[in-house]
């Protein structure tokens, strides 16, 4: 997915919300869903990746078990990563405004939006897995992820 960020976001933002809700069917495998906020436009697409492998985060192309989604950018974006086993996961997002399948950069600074679960801070590159990781259990997990732009 190629989600890399650079630069200091400046003011710290409140952590993204992680909410669990009861499953509709007892014994069903819980889903992870995410609501995306602060998109600057409805151009292009959202590239999303959910992984439990710290070594492949945030570019989870090398994780064969990662849950990947590509959805059109819109005013209200809701992602459903589907059923996931219990464990620790992290989400990386790119707002691919020109729909070329990658995060465009000016030198090393992202020209397109990016976001991470738990609103993990971005300093001189993408956050570590542990900063973005959240636990899933026996109930559905709902995230809110804020899209950020540097240019």
């Amino acid at each position: 997915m190629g989600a890399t960020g650079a630069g200091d976001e400046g003011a710290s933002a409140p952590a993204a919300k992680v909410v669990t809700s009861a499953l509709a069917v007892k014994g069903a495998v819980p889903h992870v869903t995410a609501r995306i906020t602060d998109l600057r436009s409805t151009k292009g697409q959202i590239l999303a990746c959910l992984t439990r492998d710290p070594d492949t985060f945030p570019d989870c192309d090398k994780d064969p078990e990662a849950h990947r989604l590509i959805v059109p950018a819109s005013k209200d974006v809701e992602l459903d990563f589907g059923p996931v086993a219990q464990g620790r996961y992290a989400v990386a997002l790119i707002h691919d405004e020109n729909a070329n399948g990658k995060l465009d950069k000016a030198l090393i600074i992202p020209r397109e939006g990016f976001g991470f679960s738990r609103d993990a801070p971005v300093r001189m590159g993408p956050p570590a897995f542990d900063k973005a990781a959240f636990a899933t259990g026996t109930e559905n997990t709902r995230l809110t992820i804020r899209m950020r732009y540097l240019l």
Side-chain angles (χ1 to χ4, degrees):
M1 190 175 86
T4 57
D8 191 339
E9 190 61 16
S12 64
K17 298 174 190 171
V18 177
V19 180
T20 59
S21 61
L23 292 176
V25 178
K26 191 169 182 115
V29 179
H31 282 231
V32 171
T33 59
R35 183 175 66 90
I36 312 307
T37 66
D38 297 343
L39 285 170
R40 73 175 169 197
S41 76
T42 58
K43 295 178 184 175
Q45 59 193 6
I46 306 299
L47 308 178
C49 171
L50 171 79
T51 183
R52 64 188 310 173
D53 183 354
D55 295 331
T56 62
F57 181 80
D59 182 3
C60 63
D61 287 340
K62 295 179 183 172
D63 180 3
E65 296 180 19
H67 296 247
R68 293 175 195 81
L69 297 172
I70 299 174
V71 299
S74 65
K75 183 178 177 188
D76 297 309
V77 178
E78 287 275 340
L79 304 173
D80 185 347
F81 290 99
V84 297
Q86 289 185 21
R88 288 186 67 203
Y89 293 86
V91 174
L93 303 174
I94 294 173
H95 181 190
D96 180 18
E97 290 178 286
N98 62 0
N100 67 351
K102 65 180 184 174
L103 178 67
D104 294 325
K105 300 175 190 172
L107 297 177
I108 61 169
I109 300 173
R111 296 174 55 115
E112 297 176 302
F114 56 89
F116 302 100
S117 46
R118 295 188 55 219
D119 204 23
V122 173
R123 300 288 183 245
M124 297 305 288
F129 178 86
D130 288 338
K131 297 287 186 188
F134 60 93
T136 61
T138 58
E139 298 180 339
N140 290 334
T141 302
R142 292 194 42 81
L143 308 170
T144 299
I145 303 175
R146 180 176 60 98
M147 196 63 71
R148 294 183 261 176
Y149 301 86
L150 298 177
L151 295 178

